[in-house]
Amino acid sequence: MKVGIKQKKINMMAILMAVLVFSTLAVGFSTNGNSSADATKPAKPPKKSTHPWEARQEAAKLRSAEVVPLIKELLPETPSQRRARLGDKVPQIEDIEFSYFLLNNPILEKEEDLYGPVRFMHKKHAGMLNDCFVCHHHRSADLQAPEITRCSACHQTSFNPEVPERIGLLGAHHRQCMGCHKKWNKGPVGCTGCHPKNVPSHKELVKLTANPSPTDVTKECLRCHDVQGDEMLTSTHWLWKGPSEFTEGSEKRVDMGKATVTINNFLVHLASNWPQCTSCHAGYGWKEADFDFTDKTKIDCLICHDTTNSYKKAPLGAGMPDPDVDLFDVARNVGKPNRKTCGECHFAGGPGEPIKHGKLNPFLDFHSTSCDVHMGGLDLQCHDCHKTRNHKISGRSLALPVAEGSRTCEDCHTPVPHQGKALLNHHLNRHSEHISCTTCHNPVYAKCGPVKTFWDWSTAGDKSRRPKKDEHGNPDYMWETGEQIWQEKIKPVYAWYNGKAKRHVLGDKVNNEGVTILTEPTGDIKDPNSKIYPFKVMGGRQAADAKHNYLLVPHLAGPDGYWETLDWEKTFSLGMDAAKLPYSGQYKWVDTVMYLSLNHEVLPKQFALSCVQCHPSLRTERSCGQCHMDKRGLNFKNLAFSNIDFKFLHTREPDTQKRVQSTDYIDFKQLGYKCDPITFGGRFKQLPLGWHSVSAEKNE
Amino acid sequence: MKISRRRFIGLTGTMVGGALLGKPAKSGAEYKPKTPPDPFGCLVDLTVCVGCRKCEQACNQVNHLPSPRVSFEDPRVFEQRRRPDVGAFTVINRYYGGKRDERNQLHPTFVKVQCMHCQDPGCVSACIVGAMTKKDNGATHYNASKCIGCRYCMVACPFQIPAYEYHDPLFPRVRKCTFCYERISKEGGKPGCAAICPVESITFGKRRQILELARHKIKNDPGRYVDKIYGEHEVGGTSWLYISGDSFEKLGFLDLPTRPIPYLSETIQHGLFNYLWAPLTLFGILGAVVAVINRQQNRSSSESVQEGHQPDQDTQDTAGLQEKPDSSKREEKL
Ligand code: SF4
Ligand code: SF4
């Protein structure tokens, strides 16, 4: 870990250097920037794409609408007879034409409208089963017909007297899926495990008079959903604190969170800043510390359940809705949360603008895969991954300790995500034991918009300073918050991560010798549970108590807040009062760093890192052939360089130019390896021919 | 003398009873069941049902029933056995027949309960105003506008299906599964429950055809099913048929005779009402008995009290016989 920390220091220094260089450069340039207003660029949809997988959801929708003629006669043969007949022509996973389906055939009569269609990962299932005939269990008696046909070629309407023994498509899907899922004890068997549930229209159900108050709406919701109200009262979206099972040393605590001890290097802390911060709270009127968390009628149901796209909160309103919102209309149109409703807060982290995470932003709501394959290409909603039960939403982050369950890529993609018998897949699957999916599949973050990577509070308050604009048009300075660095298409920082985090919380001592790390992934090259993950590193300069040596809470908004008074002394004394910690009256500026996880913005394989980008040893003429004999007519060079190298990404995102052709993407030494593991062995594995693995060496 | 007289009376009673009981056997040949020629039916494959209660939900929607007390997604309802009632025409009950799965967990069998739509329904024959009728498509149909609320159908049903809206003081109705009469009367229409069942545990079709299907299934997979189609012969056959992997007794199915319910009740009634000679004979004999007794009473006044109530006893016997079909039904139900 020593190496890691050293490296982090180096990183930090690099960032600071960048700040310096950047600000010096910026001085000489245009001077007409006018503070924060420009930073909020209206989100414009990225250009329409034509790439096949990009419109995958659309294509799947079209495919799901096709109805093919019913195959009435089946070839009477047993599976082994079938195999014998086919010989080496037995279909393989490589023969799969479509890896993704939407099961929404019009044959599935929809008299009732309880659930939405299932998204079916065809190739994934094929890879798991490794036998197409498990599902494609019969073929047409007509030997000219293709060997494999879709479900709906044999299973159509139910109770067809012409083929009385054949079950309908609805039954076929359910029996096949549930049968296997039960048998193998894998995959969902409940309805909502596969189907999104449809919410019935609430137009008639909601009994409200025009112009209701926000609490009137909540009371009306509670009339039927009282249980859900109780569920909300114990949720982290309501309490802003909760179980912190992934925080090292605090696994059993339930009191950590934004509401209590979490501190960051953005707007620092909640205490004394309620009306501003809580404008993202799923409740009404958290103006002060003594907000009543047992009052169900204060829950803001609409912020998550609005489907009209018109609901929003007032900026400094302590969670109250914007007065212009037609609550009556919104309440009558409630439904399931979607990217917009979640994004109302989570695409605005930072605050107000999507600058915090790398990168949850409104672009994710547009259908573009070059931002995010899940939300863009496949039109997934947040809760499709962040599975929710009893209003507890799973997912963990590095920025916050609270977690109501976790989600990993493997939950859907399995620990062996690369399907197919090709040699490359085998190697990639071996990689999955040591590196996270996002390491390759999220090679640059902040792809579709800039994020802040550095924030210097110490320089805030100079109203006369003219901000400079960087290459993306973002100001380098705002008097409210100080100097800042914006970046786009950023190469992540890589570190070992075992799912847990170390956290600096309110009242912890700062590091007087160097950088104080506020959140940090735990993990080690020798820990088998650790994998290499990409991170965004956010640098900051913020105030600490010179005597007590802990970070200070500034009181920012409001008439007596910093943005009115520009008086740091008063700001900190009011802030620390609210945070219930003594303030000595003296402050100093300290450097802090936060690691933020990069779980979104995932890209498909066309954008992922290629072998050579991390393994320089494969760039040589002989490439893999240095050790492997090239017997199978494989072109190792092609394999190692296959499709990637950012050229494609570059065609979509011009700013990635600088990444093209870059190799040594991952600094193996910084991660604790002796060098490229291809030549020096993996972390646990000793290579033959006398090369030692790094761990073996460390053990010596 | 006393004894011989009693014997005589007993004998008379037996004769009358015998005449009455003998009648059904004879008139049975002329008994016309209401079985429709080619009705629809439903086959429930209990080995397939997953207990999702979607059929209950669909039934609720199709029939505009009140929303349930326990939500359709709540599996806790299985903790109690339920019966169809005015708010739910079909219910799913869970049974453990004793089978275990690969993980050594008891394997549940879910049993859908609803009106069986008997081929020759007891409720129809019991209904004195014709509110219950057997339709050609197989539905046992209830017409609330004809119903006088006597609830005979409830008594007559061997499956205890019809329920009564006791809570409604003004226009209470008998409520039971309708076999989605309106829906299945349309071309290609299916009952709500059969249409929604996600695993197609319910197969809807012509009874003839689904009976064949059931036989085929059992023959093709004898390890999966017990060799019985419940409803094939029970009370003369029902439109709803069941096949199962557990013996039906373990799953709460009643062991019923194969004779249709109306066979017994109607033939007795017909015996009584169509063959007027029987009551005539009865009353003739009774008259003779009374005459004999009176003559004896005249002879010996000391014995008159005892003899006087004998004829009453006799009529009671006869009445008892008339009621017998009902009471036998009750026994069968248990
Ligand atoms: S089950 Fe009962 S109610 Fe239904 S048809 Fe048969 S006798 Fe009538
Ligand atoms: S819908 Fe089908 S599977 Fe579900 S409970 Fe009813 S019969 Fe069983």
Side-chain angles (χ1 to χ4, degrees), chain B residues 192-228:
Chain B
C193 53
I196 202 174
C197 178
V199 288
E200 226 171 271
S201 162
I202 309 165
T203 312
F204 172 75
K206 287 291 182 192
R207 183 175 188 269
R208 202 173 20 82
Q209 201 167 24
I210 60 163
L211 201 54
E212 242 164 67
L213 174 66
R215 287 195 197 110
H216 174 87
K217 279 186 167 194
I218 295 174
K219 189 164 150 249
N220 253 8
D221 206 344
R224 183 180 177 112
Y225 301 103
V226 293
D227 187 10
K228 176 170 173 67

Side-chain angles (χ1 to χ4, degrees), chain B residues 36-47:
Chain B
D38 190 14
F40 282 114
C42 274
L43 174 66
V44 184
D45 188 338
L46 298 180
T47 65

Side-chain angles (χ1 to χ4, degrees), chain A residues 614-627:
Chain A
C614 301
H615 298 289
S617 50
L618 294 179
R619 294 172 65 220
T620 58
E621 201 40 54
R622 288 182 63 210
S623 191
C624 321
Q626 290 164 77
C627 298

